[in-house]
């Protein structure tokens, strides 16, 4: 198992919908930003699986909703300590992280545009920024290694985005900067694996030398 990864990265999920306003609620968008136990091809570098329970204990105290991770803009909704006064509610369940955000379509043109785009299914993707506290790499000598995310440390934000998929299941288009972060995470895991292998070989060699010395004395 590798050491906790502190690299910020984004991951895309295809589950997002708009609800019709009612007398009790306004313009709502909801869906799952994180889904457990799905295999995802990350940038062609590796496969990734978010293990069930990975969100248990994660920091969800302040999670805003943006479009395309434009975190310098005003959030379209925000979950603060996930209280009833927040404009976005987060729920961790057996499937993953569900969100329900109420958009101010009357006073915020971007919120109005987002609600319309989701309703028309022009925008169907969700993404999130995170940091892990525990993960596990396997098959590092294969063409597509596998990373299992065991625990998240913090969820920074979630975003709505349009992201066309390449041909083939679960292969998502990603931008260059995100690909470089994913590649760095993979390179770090491979480097650590090589270091561990070398340490094991050194230990075996030392044991063998010690045994030879003991046998020579006897």
């Amino acid at each position: 198992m590798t050491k906790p990864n502190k690299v910020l990265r984004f991951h895309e999920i295809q589950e997002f919908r708009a609800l019709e306003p009612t007398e009790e609620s306004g313009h709502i968008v909801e869906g799952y930003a994180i889904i457990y136990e799905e295999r995802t091809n990350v940038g062609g570098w590796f496969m990734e699986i978010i293990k069930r329970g990975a969100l248990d204990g994660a920091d969800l105290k302040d999670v805003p909703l943006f479009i395309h991770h434009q975190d310098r803009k005003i959030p379209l909704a925000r979950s603060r300590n996930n209280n009833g006064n927040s404009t976005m509610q987060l729920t961790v369940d057996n499937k993953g992280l569900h969100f329900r955000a109420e958009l101010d379509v009357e006073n915020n043109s971007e919120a109005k545009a987002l609600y319309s785009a989701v309703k028309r299914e022009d925008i169907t993707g969700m993404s999130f920024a995170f940091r892990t506290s525990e993960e596990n790499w396997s098959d590092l000598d294969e063409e597509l290694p596998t990373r299992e995310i065991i625990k998240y440390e913090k969820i920074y934000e979630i975003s709505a985005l349009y992201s066309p998929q390449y041909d083939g299941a679960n292969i998502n288009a990603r931008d260059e900067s995100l690909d470089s972060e994913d590649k760095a995470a993979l390179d770090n895991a491979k480097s650590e694996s090589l270091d561990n292998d070398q340490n094991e070989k050194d230990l075996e060699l030392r044991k063998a030398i010690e045994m030879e010395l003991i046998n020579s004395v006897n």
Side-chain angles (χ1 to χ4, degrees), residues 10 34 36 46 94 96 112 127 131 169 191 199 209 215 218:
F10 305 98
I34 301 174
Y36 293 146
F46 53 86
N94 195 50
K112 182 178 181 179
S127 180
R131 185 164 60 191
S191 176
N199 289 337
I209 293 174
N215 292 333
N218 295 335

Side-chain angles (χ1 to χ4, degrees), residues 101-118:
E102 184 167 355
L103 304 180
D104 184 2
V105 300
E106 295 183 1
N107 300 303
N108 188 320
S109 60
E110 289 191 354
K112 182 178 181 179
L114 174 61
Y115 181 83
S116 176
V118 173

Side-chain angles (χ1 to χ4, degrees), residues 13-25:
I13 299 295
Q14 301 294 317
E15 186 162 346
F16 199 13
R17 55 187 171 271
L19 305 182
E20 293 291 342
T22 67
E23 293 182 359
E24 290 77 23
S25 62

